[in-house]
Amino acid sequence: QLFLAVLEREPDDLDSHKGLGEIYYRQYEANSDKAVLRKGVEHYEAAMTQDTEDSELMGRVIAGYVDLDELGKANTIFEQAIKKNPKDPDLRMTYAEMLAKQGKMEEAVKGFEEVIKLSPDNLNAVLNIARFLTENDRHEEAIPYWQKIVDLRPELWQAWQNLGVCYGRVGNNEKA
């Protein structure tokens, strides 16, 4: 209510747009109501027009459009954002996830590789590549990624299991 009241007096108030964007986004996460998400994206986008350097804000807008299945808008904003922040692993992660959602997995893998170059211990990027390679019977290629996950998070028994499966599929039964 407070943010809305401020926006009635000052329609371009950056903090109010960010605050409402966050509130609506959290509501969407709780109930998956796309109409609520759309409101959040609108407020984030209004804030983004004023704060053009905030890569986290840009990432929120991109992710929102991906969840709304408006991938063209997400791609346009990503292209603008990456020109301003070419070494931002979070933006690249959001974009790679968008490509994966579009079914462009080979391109998504390249995106996740870019994330890993910028942030070598990014578990989500490594996990996405490992899963894709394993699901596509590219077990030899998947092994170093599952090994990296095991090294990063040895308590993840599923990673150990997948590593063993991959070793078994390539005929290395000693390591399986």
Side-chain angles (χ1 to χ4, degrees), residues 8 36 40 69 72 80 121-122 127 174:
E8 282 182 27
V36 171
D69 293 319
Q80 294 167 1
D121 293 340
N122 187 308
L127 184 58
E174 289 177 20

Side-chain angles (χ1 to χ4, degrees), residues 39-52:
K39 288 179 184 178
V41 169
E42 288 169 1
H43 284 288
Y44 277 141
E45 202 161 19
M48 196 176 74
T49 61
Q50 297 172 55
D51 188 354
T52 60

Side-chain angles (χ1 to χ4, degrees), residues 78 80-89 91-92 114 118:
F78 172 77
Q80 294 167 1
I82 207 66
K83 285 178 187 172
K84 294 177 182 179
N85 303 296
K87 296 189 183 242
D88 186 320
L91 277 175
R92 292 200 175 272
E114 286 295 318
L118 296 168

Side-chain angles (χ1 to χ4, degrees), residues 55-60 62-63 78 81-82 85-98 111-112 114-116 118-119 122 124:
S55 61
E56 183 179 337
L57 187 58
M58 292 175 193
R60 289 280 186 160
I62 294 166
F78 172 77
I82 207 66
N85 303 296
K87 296 189 183 242
D88 186 320
D90 294 330
L91 277 175
R92 292 200 175 272
M93 185 70 183
T94 299
Y95 187 67
E97 289 170 342
M98 181 187 79
F112 292 128
E114 286 295 318
V115 171
I116 294 168
L118 296 168
S119 179
N122 187 308
N124 287 333

